[in-house]
Amino acid sequence: MDENIATLASAIGVRVKQERQARRWTLDQLAEAAGVSRRMLVNVEQATMNPSVGTLLRISDALGVGLPDLVQSPEPKAVKVTRKGEGAVLWSSDSGGRGVLVAGTEPPEVVELWDWTLGPGDQHTSEAHTPGTKELLQVQHGTVRVVAGEQTVILEVGDSVTFPGDIAHSYANDSTKAARFSLAVFERGVGSGHRETGNA
């Protein structure tokens, strides 16, 4: 793990442990509620691995906190500012791709704002999110292929798409140049324990 990923993994581990202990839950209780293995939770809390976004979503929902709260230090202010370069990098690729969570609201109605870069040939596949989740994407640079369920759309600079995030979906860059897009994700009822628990 590079230094930034290690720092983020450590912050996530501390926050998960704090939230779990605040509820007086054992590792086994949280593992059952989140639909992940006890070993996975130990690794997350000890920051010995970089968990997938899907795993973090299941853990955050089980704890009743939104993903943005899980990856950021709690702040008592009503206005939260994320400066350039301070977003949580939750996905990266060898060709320079990055999925950066730059802002988000608190549960139960969570809106996440992401800044994505896909390197040449990159693809990010996402499992289905909470029922009712919606995603909105706008391309800032390059060309992005979005697959949502059985539908595929090719988006150029300035194009946007809205699709259900509660089905399997993916974002891909089939070109030889980097692509960049903004992504907003809306999830209702975070913390109510109704996430799908199929994939890690």
Side-chain angles (χ1 to χ4, degrees), residues 43-54:
N43 289 339
V44 168
E45 287 191 2
Q46 294 179 352
T48 58
M49 65 165 301
N50 186 18
S52 71
V53 175

Side-chain angles (χ1 to χ4, degrees), residues 9-86:
S10 178
I12 291 170
V14 167
R15 187 70 196 273
V16 168
K17 188 172 184 177
Q18 286 174 344
E19 293 290 341
R20 177 178 63 80
Q21 289 176 340
R23 287 158 183 73
R24 297 185 179 164
W25 284 2
T26 65
L27 285 164
D28 290 327
Q29 287 172 312
L30 178 54
E32 183 177 344
V36 300
S37 70
R38 184 180 193 279
R39 170 56 38 204
M40 172 70 73
L41 281 178
V42 169
N43 289 339
V44 168
E45 287 191 2
Q46 294 179 352
T48 58
M49 65 165 301
N50 186 18
S52 71
V53 175
T55 297
L56 291 176
L57 284 168
R58 284 194 293 283
I59 293 170
S60 67
D61 190 51
L63 290 170
V65 299
L67 182 59
D69 285 341
L70 196 63
V71 301
Q72 295 176 4
S73 300
E75 295 178 28
K77 302 174 188 173
V79 176
K80 294 183 182 180
V81 176
T82 303
R83 299 288 181 199
K84 182 178 179 179
E86 292 180 351

Side-chain angles (χ1 to χ4, degrees), residues 155-177:
L155 303 172
E156 304 286 341
V157 174
D159 292 345
S160 59
V161 65
T162 302
F163 60 94
D166 55 6
I167 57 176
H169 51 282
S170 64
Y171 329 109
N173 176 7
D174 300 322
S175 76
T176 57
K177 296 182 180 177

